[in-house]
């Protein structure tokens, strides 16, 4: 009778034990499944956002190329090298044009609200944090907050004062050309050339930052694509 009772108790204990264990494992499995689904959803949002960022950076790079061409164009004018009048208005527009950064951070903000640890892959998680918390913030500060990169405020009036008096306009007030040579005094010429040099150096720095961010975005998108497939 005692052996029979012991078997009964053991059977009941094992039944309860396996039922609890199975329920726990099922709950853990469901939680893990939900986490992986959440992770995939957030990473997909980040992946798509980075694609838009890449397009914006490409457009920034094209603008930077126009900025640099504008510097070369006006350097020729200062040095009394004849230029094409048809390009004057375009390059005048781009010469001291300020820049605004556009970064799509909605996916990353969602990730932070859920918890960064939702991303299993340590390398991927660190790369995403580095991009948004370091590279993007430094790029924005460099572009919008660094005083020397406020081109319109720092350089427009100084350059304009020497060059704009030589512009020609049509009856509607549109710029149509420039009288050449402008024959600046040597001191004034050197000052304008120094401003153009600073514009060129600053634009080249930003162009380098753009290219670096484009490479980093490409690497992270490749990691995300591999991880969620």
């Amino acid at each position: 009778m005692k052996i029979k009772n012991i078997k009964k108790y053991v059977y009941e204990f094992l039944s309860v034990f396996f039922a609890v264990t199975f329920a726990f494992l099922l709950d853990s499995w469901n939680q893990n499944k939900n986490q992986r689904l959440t992770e995939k959803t957030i990473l997909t949002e980040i992946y798509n956002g980075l694609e838009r960022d890449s397009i914006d950076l490409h457009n920034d790079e094209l603008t930077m190329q126009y900025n640099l061409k504008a510097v070369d164009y006006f350097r020729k004018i200062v040095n009394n090298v004849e230029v094409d009048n048809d390009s004057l208005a375009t390059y005048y527009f781009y010469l001291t044009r300020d820049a605004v950064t556009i970064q799509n951070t909605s996916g990353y903000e969602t990730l932070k609200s859920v918890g960064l640890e939702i991303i299993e892959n340590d390398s991927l998680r660190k790369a995403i944090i580095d991009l948004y918390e370091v590279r993007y913030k430094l790029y924005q500060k460099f572009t919008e907050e660094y005083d020397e990169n406020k081109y319109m405020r720092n350089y427009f009036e100084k350059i304009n004062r020497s060059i704009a008096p030589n512009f020609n306009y049509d009856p509607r007030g549109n710029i149509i050309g420039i009288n050449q040579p402008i024959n600046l005094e040597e001191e004034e010429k050197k000052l304008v050339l120094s401003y153009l040099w600073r514009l060129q150096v600053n634009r080249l720095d930003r162009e380098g930052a753009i290219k670096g961010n484009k490479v980093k975005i490409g690497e992270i998108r490749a990691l995300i694509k591999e991880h969620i497939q």
Side-chain angles (χ1 to χ4, degrees):
M1 183 69 179
K2 290 182 179 180
I3 294 176
K4 185 176 180 181
N5 287 337
I6 290 173
K7 289 182 177 179
K8 178 181 178 182
Y9 293 144
V10 169
Y11 174 78
E12 290 177 350
F13 170 78
L14 291 176
S15 297
V16 172
F17 174 79
F18 284 120
V20 172
T21 301
F22 177 76
F24 174 77
L25 292 174
L26 181 61
D27 182 63
S28 296
W29 181 82
N30 284 331
Q31 286 185 7
N32 185 65
K33 182 181 178 181
N34 290 334
Q35 285 182 338
R36 299 289 66 81
L37 179 61
T38 301
E39 178 195 40
K40 184 176 182 179
T41 301
I42 293 173
L43 286 177
T44 300
E45 184 180 0
I46 291 175
Y47 182 88
N48 293 332
L50 290 178
E51 182 180 22
R52 291 190 290 274
D53 285 347
S54 184
I55 293 172
D56 290 334
L57 285 174
H58 176 69
N59 291 331
D60 282 350
E61 192 172 12
L62 292 177
T63 299
M64 207 57 49
Q65 290 172 6
Y66 270 104
N67 295 146
L68 291 168
K69 288 179 180 179
V71 170
D72 287 337
Y73 182 87
F74 280 94
R75 185 180 284 127
K76 289 178 181 178
I77 290 175
V78 173
N79 286 319
N80 291 328
V81 177
E82 189 173 352
V83 296
D84 176 17
N85 277 333
D86 291 341
S87 302
L88 178 64
T90 299
Y91 287 138
Y92 182 59
F93 172 77
Y94 278 104
L95 181 63
T96 56
R97 188 185 187 195
D98 288 327
V100 177
T101 57
I102 301 174
Q103 297 163 346
N104 191 309
T105 61
S106 59
Y108 182 64
E109 293 302 324
T110 301
L111 174 62
K112 287 199 297 183
S113 67
V114 172
L116 297 170
E117 66 280 356
I118 195 80
I119 299 180
E120 288 186 301
N121 188 307
D122 291 340
S123 298
L124 175 58
R125 182 172 61 253
K126 290 176 181 177
I128 290 174
I129 294 172
D130 176 71
L131 178 67
Y132 286 97
E133 295 292 348
V134 180
R135 287 177 173 268
Y136 272 10
K137 288 184 178 180
L138 283 176
Y139 181 68
Q140 184 173 21
K141 285 182 177 294
F142 176 72
T143 302
E144 298 181 8
E145 299 178 26
Y146 183 43
D147 187 67
E148 193 169 344
N149 286 339
K150 298 183 186 301
Y151 307 124
M152 184 63 71
R153 187 180 73 188
N154 292 333
Y155 301 109
F156 176 76
E157 185 178 351
K158 296 173 182 177
I159 296 174
N160 201 54
R161 190 184 302 118
S162 298
I163 296 177
N166 300 282
F167 286 172
N168 295 316
Y169 300 85
D170 66 15
R172 300 178 64 183
N174 297 313
I175 297 173
I176 57 174
I178 184 171
N179 295 322
Q180 291 186 268
I182 63 174
N183 292 325
L184 298 177
E185 294 292 334
E186 190 65 19
E187 182 179 349
E188 185 177 9
K189 175 181 175 180
K190 288 182 178 180
L191 281 173
V192 176
L193 288 175
S194 73
Y195 301 144
L196 293 174
W197 180 82
R198 289 305 307 175
L199 283 170
Q200 182 181 44
V201 170
N202 290 339
R203 259 59 182 273
L204 286 172
D205 278 349
R206 187 171 179 225
E207 186 180 44
I210 289 171
K211 290 179 178 178
N213 283 344
K214 285 176 67 177
V215 170
K216 191 66 176 179
I217 285 173
E219 292 174 352
I220 292 176
R221 292 188 79 232
L223 286 173
I224 291 175
K225 186 175 182 180
E226 180 182 356
H227 183 71
I228 65 178
Q229 281 182 339

